[in-house]
Amino acid sequence: MNTISSIISGKKNQGSSHFVSINPANREDILGTFANATLEECKEACVSARKGLEQWKRTPAPVRAEIIANFGKLIQKNKDALAKILTREMGKPIKEARGDVQEAIDTCNFFVSEGRRLYGQTVPSEMQNKELYTYRRPIGVFACITAGNFPFAVPSWYFIPALVCGNTCVWKPSEDTPYLSYIFAELLYAAGVPKDVFHVVFGKGPETGAHLVSLVDEGLIDKVGFTGSTEVGKKIGEICGRNLQTPCLELGGKNPLVVMPDANLDLVTNGVIWSGFGTAGQRCTSLGNLIVHKSIKETLIKKILDKVTNLRIGDPTNENNFYGPMIGERFLKKHNENLSNLIKPHHRLLTAKNGTITEQNKDNSFDGNAQCGFYAFPSIVDNVTENDEIYSTETFGPLFNILSFKDIDEAIYLSNKTGYGLSSAIYTTDIESAYRFRTEISAGMTSINNSTTGAEAHLPFGGNGKSGNGSRQSGIWVVDQFTKWQSVNWDMSGKLQLAQMDTNYINPSDYIVKA
C-alpha cells in the first residue's frame, strides 16, 4: 500500500470522490487534486501501522529522537519554501506562516532531548531483595485528525512526541491543506521515519475522518487525537469512551479578554486587534468576548476603531498586510451566516462595513483580489449580554463581541459562563485583580497583559469544558498523552513474598511524657 492515500495530480474536476486544494486568495490557483480515502484504505493504513509498531517501539528512544532531529533540520532548511506554500494553500499572512513553520522547528528541538528523558522511576520496596520500577511504554497506533488553520505547527505538536514515544501514526489532515500535509509526511520519511510507521489518508472530515475514527471500534486504533469543533469532538469522545480510550481533544473556544479600569489602553488596543483579527480570527484562541469595565468602554472602543479603520487586509504574501483571506469558501459563508443570524436589534454593530469584501465594496487599503479571493471585513458587535446567542457561540472569523462589567467578580463570571475554557486574558496593573483572574478563570491558558493567542512549544496547550477534555499538547506534559505506565516488581529473594502480609512492620514502644 502507498503510505499516502491518495494523491491525484491533475485537473480540477475528478468527480465526487475527489477534492481540490485551491489558493483562498485566488481560487483559480489550484495546488492539486486529492482523493477521499475509503474505509478500506483507512483500515489498510491502520493494519500497516500495527505491523510497523513492533519494530518502531523496539527502536531505542534516543534513536527515534535523532530522526526527529533530522526532521527539524529539514524543516529549517526548507523554512522559506514551506511558509510560502502554507500561505498559498490556506491564506495565512507570510509572517505568520513563517511562525507556523518555526513552531514545528521549536517542537523538534525540544523533543530531541525528550528521547533521552522518557524517565521512569525506581521505587523502594517494603520487602527485602525486591526491586520496583516504573516504565513509560508507547500506547500503540495513534490516529489523528487536524485542522487547517495551523497546518504545520499543530501536526508537529501531535506527531513529534507520538513518534519519539514509540507510537505509529495514521493521519487524516485537513482537507483545506492537503498539499502541505503531503510535504510534511515526505519530510518525515526523508528524516528517517519508516514508511510503515507514518501513514496519511487524505479526505474530508465527514467521510474519511469518520471512516478513520470508526476503526476504534474494530480495535485497530489505540489513541485518537483531534483538533476541531466541539460538536465533532463530542462524537469522537463517545466512540473512544465506549472503548475505554481517552482521546486527545483540542476543541473550540469563546475566549474572553478582560480590561480593568487601570489597564494601559494603548497596550490593550494592540492586544485586542491581534487577538480578534490575527489570521482573520480563524484561531481557536481568537478573541471572542471583549469584557471591558464600563468606566473606560467608550474610550477603548474609540481607540480600537481608529486601529481597525487603518487595518490592511489583502494579499497574504504582502508583508504589510495584517490578515489575508478566509481559509476557504465555507469559512467565509459561515462568517456571513453568523453576521446575519447572531446579531440582534439591541446590538450595536460598530464597524461600518461587514461581511464579504467585493470589487464593488472594499476599502482603499485593501490590496487583494476580491473577485477571486475569500475576504471579509473585520466586525465588532457591542451591547452583547450573557443571554445572547453570540455571547456563547464560537464564530471563527474576524468578529468579536463587547460586554461591560462593574467589578472583577462580574468580569470573571462573564469570562467563565460560556462553558468554553481554552484561552483567556486580562489587562491590569493591579496585582490583586491579576491574581484573582488567574486563580478563578476556568480556561486552560491565561495571559496577563498579553493577547489571548500565542503558544510556545514548551508550554502546555489545551482547554477545559467545551474546549477539550483536559488533555494537553506541547512541553513535557504531552508525553502523558502518548505513553502508558507499566509497573514492574522484581523479586530476587527466591521465595514468595506478600506485601502487606509478610512485611515486617515496626510498632512503637510505650512512652508517656509527664509534664
Side-chain angles (χ1 to χ4, degrees):
M1 172 194 173
N2 184 353
T3 48
I4 301 182
S5 302
S6 306
I7 276 189
I8 300 173
S9 59
K11 298 181 180 179
K12 181 175 181 179
N13 185 9
Q14 295 282 352
S16 60
S17 63
H18 306 103
F19 65 99
V20 178
S21 176
I22 64 172
N23 181 347
N26 178 9
R27 71 185 78 193
E28 296 177 355
D29 178 21
I30 300 170
L31 282 81
T33 303
F34 298 78
N36 285 300
T38 64
L39 175 61
E40 286 305 312
E41 286 177 314
C42 291
K43 187 178 295 187
E44 192 175 348
C46 291
V47 169
S48 180
R50 179 73 63 192
K51 292 177 181 177
L53 179 64
E54 293 308 309
Q55 182 60 40
W56 185 244
K57 69 182 182 181
R58 286 196 296 269
T59 301
V63 176
R64 297 193 299 254
E66 188 60 33
I67 292 174
I68 294 305
N70 295 340
F71 183 50
K73 292 172 186 175
L74 287 171
I75 299 171
Q76 182 70 66
K77 183 177 181 180
N78 293 281
K79 179 179 176 179
D80 189 58
L82 290 168
K84 288 178 180 177
I85 293 170
L86 194 158
T87 291
R88 181 183 169 206
E89 190 165 37
M90 64 77 62
K92 183 177 290 188
I94 188 64
K95 183 179 180 180
E96 289 188 49
R98 294 190 195 104
D100 198 313
V101 176
Q102 184 63 45
E103 183 90 12
I105 297 169
D106 294 344
T107 303
C108 287
N109 290 339
F110 183 88
F111 277 98
V112 168
S113 296
E114 285 306 300
R116 298 180 183 272
R117 276 199 302 260
L118 290 176
Y119 296 142
Q121 292 179 309
T122 56
V123 183
S125 173
E126 63 190 55
M127 317 295 294
Q128 292 185 2
N129 298 313
K130 187 178 180 183
E131 298 291 337
L132 306 180
Y133 310 89
T134 65
Y135 297 92
R136 287 188 181 273
R137 305 299 189 196
I139 289 180
V141 176
F142 171 56
C144 188
I145 300 172
T146 55
N149 58 338
F150 282 85
F152 217 84
V154 169
S156 299
W157 289 357
Y158 282 114
F159 296 122
I160 289 170
L163 291 167
V164 168
C165 290
N167 303 279
T168 55
C169 306
V170 181
W171 180 27
K172 203 296 287 183
S174 169
E175 58 266 42
D176 300 304
T177 53
Y179 183 59
L180 188 68
S181 304
Y182 167 76
I183 295 173
F184 184 100
E186 289 294 323
L187 287 172
L188 274 177
Y189 299 143
V193 174
K195 291 290 182 76
D196 58 355
V197 167
F198 193 84
H199 300 259
V200 185
V201 288
F202 290 105
K204 296 184 177 180
E207 299 166 22
T208 302
H211 291 328
L212 182 60
V213 175
S214 73
L215 298 176
V216 173
D217 284 329
E218 296 190 29
L220 297 177
I221 293 169
D222 302 302
K223 178 83 175 185
V224 175
F226 174 72
T227 297
S229 71
T230 301
E231 180 184 6
V232 174
K234 287 180 178 180
K235 294 177 181 177
I236 292 174
E238 289 175 5
I239 294 171
C240 294
R242 65 174 176 249
N243 288 278
L244 302 181
Q245 293 185 16
T246 303
C248 182
L249 300 176
E250 299 298 343
L251 310 177
K254 191 68 176 181
N255 307 294
L257 190 155
V258 171
V259 185
M260 298 300 291
D262 53 68
N264 178 333
L265 296 190
D266 291 330
L267 181 64
V268 170
T269 300
N270 290 331
V272 166
I273 295 296
W274 177 246
S275 296
F277 301 132
T279 325
Q282 298 169 112
R283 300 181 185 140
C284 55
T285 55
S286 291
L287 169 61
N289 290 317
L290 177 60
I291 303 170
V292 187
H293 192 272
K294 60 183 182 180
S295 66
I296 57 169
K297 192 181 85 163
E298 294 304 323
T299 302
L300 180 59
I301 285 175
K302 184 179 184 306
K303 285 179 173 290
I304 292 171
L305 290 179
D306 286 345
K307 284 267 189 181
V308 170
T309 300
N310 298 312
L311 212 58
R312 291 182 60 89
I313 304 166
D315 181 1
T317 65
N318 185 336
E319 298 273 359
N320 296 317
N321 286 336
F322 191 79
Y323 73 78
M326 304 293 283
I327 297 171
E329 186 173 17
R330 75 179 189 278
F331 293 92
L332 178 59
K333 181 180 178 182
K334 182 62 178 177
H335 173 66
N336 287 330
E337 289 175 358
N338 288 332
L339 289 171
S340 298
N341 300 333
L342 298 178
I343 298 178
K344 304 303 179 183
H346 67 275
H347 292 148
R348 181 169 63 140
L349 188 56
L350 298 177
T351 40
K353 293 183 178 181
N354 301 278
T356 304
I357 296 174
T358 65
E359 286 295 334
Q360 294 74 35
N361 184 28
K362 60 183 180 181
D363 290 332
N364 292 333
S365 60
F366 177 77
D367 76 342
N369 185 336
Q371 183 174 346
C372 293
F374 306 116
Y375 292 97
F377 289 105
S379 296
I380 304 173
V381 183
D382 188 22
N383 291 342
V384 172
T385 73
E386 63 182 280
N387 299 315
D388 295 329
E389 185 180 0
I390 197 170
Y391 160 75
S392 56
T393 299
E394 182 185 28
T395 49
F396 205 73
L399 166 66
F400 67 81
N401 313 317
I402 299 180
L403 298 87
S404 60
F405 70 91
K406 63 181 183 299
D407 56 34
I408 185 66
D409 292 317
E410 186 179 16
I412 293 171
Y413 169 80
L414 290 172
S415 297
N416 287 334
K417 197 192 175 211
T418 63
Y420 286 98
L422 185 57
S423 187
S424 59
I426 185 171
Y427 280 79
T428 182
T429 56
D430 178 59
I431 294 176
E432 184 178 355
S433 296
Y435 186 86
R436 281 279 313 277
F437 189 79
R438 75 166 192 179
T439 303
E440 298 179 30
I441 190 69
S442 61
M445 300 178 290
T446 297
S447 293
I448 300 170
N449 294 325
N450 205 337
S451 72
T452 60
T453 70
E456 296 192 39
H458 50 285
L459 196 67
F461 183 98
N464 309 314
K466 293 191 291 185
S467 294
N469 60 341
S471 55
R472 293 294 182 265
Q473 294 175 301
S474 296
I476 58 173
W477 301 269
V478 74
V479 173
D480 290 333
Q481 294 297 314
F482 296 113
T483 55
K484 54 190 176 185
W485 283 107
Q486 179 190 29
S487 298
V488 175
N489 78 79
W490 189 344
D491 198 319
M492 292 164 277
S493 68
K495 60 182 179 181
L496 177 63
Q497 299 190 92
L498 302 176
Q500 293 91 45
M501 288 179 278
D502 294 336
T503 303
N504 184 21
Y505 292 110
I506 306 299
N507 294 316
S509 60
D510 289 338
Y511 188 92
I512 298 174
V513 177
K514 295 181 180 180

